[in-house]
Amino acid sequence: MDDTDIRGLSAEDAKAYALEFMTSLKTLERQLAGLADELGLWAKRAELAASKGASDLEAAARARLAELGAKRDALEAERAELAAKVARIREKLPMAGASERSVDPDLLLAQLRMAAGQSPDDRDDDGSAKLDSDMAALGADDALAALKRKLKEGSE
């Protein structure tokens, strides 16, 4: 499974997921910085033991230095892998919410119909009843207009 696959996540969830990876990366970088300080300390101890002629202390310090070096190498490899994942997630992040609808067209249509004083859902089973009623309404409007013209002509 690919850790960087954020398809199917909402934009908010994808950002939270990316933030978790970035937090892990920053924590790992802080560990590496602390380890670098510790490596410097043990290197100085090994040099000090060598300058004092304490070969047993120098050997112990060099052994600890080797352990810390191996740990640093493992953490560096993990950091590089995590940094690559963070980069891939950052590339994909703008596309995270693309599949989400920003506007629900059915809801918008219903709201517009209600604002116009119509029924929010005008869909019939076959659609023909609505068409017939619309056509009848148009005929009634034409007849009313004709009647008004007659009345107007008669009163003049």
Side-chain angles (χ1 to χ4, degrees), residues 2-6 14-29 77-94:
D2 185 16
D3 291 346
T4 62
D5 187 14
I6 57 175
K15 286 178 185 176
Y17 187 71
L19 186 62
E20 288 178 28
F21 271 90
M22 289 178 212
T23 303
S24 296
L25 180 62
K26 289 298 180 186
T27 302
L28 195 58
E29 287 173 349
E78 187 178 344
R79 189 202 62 76
E81 181 182 341
L82 201 53
K85 286 180 182 181
V86 166
R88 278 183 268 158
I89 290 173
R90 279 185 176 169
E91 289 172 1
K92 295 177 183 180
L93 203 53

Side-chain angles (χ1 to χ4, degrees), residues 20-71:
E20 288 178 28
F21 271 90
M22 289 178 212
T23 303
S24 296
L25 180 62
K26 289 298 180 186
T27 302
L28 195 58
E29 287 173 349
R30 271 189 250 117
Q31 287 176 349
L32 279 167
L35 193 58
D37 293 342
E38 196 172 348
L39 275 165
L41 177 69
W42 281 100
K44 287 179 185 177
R45 286 180 180 168
E47 288 175 22
L48 182 61
S51 70
K52 299 284 183 177
S55 60
D56 56 335
L57 289 177
E58 181 185 0
R62 298 249 181 242
R64 181 69 178 146
L65 203 54
E67 287 176 29
L68 292 174
K71 185 176 180 181

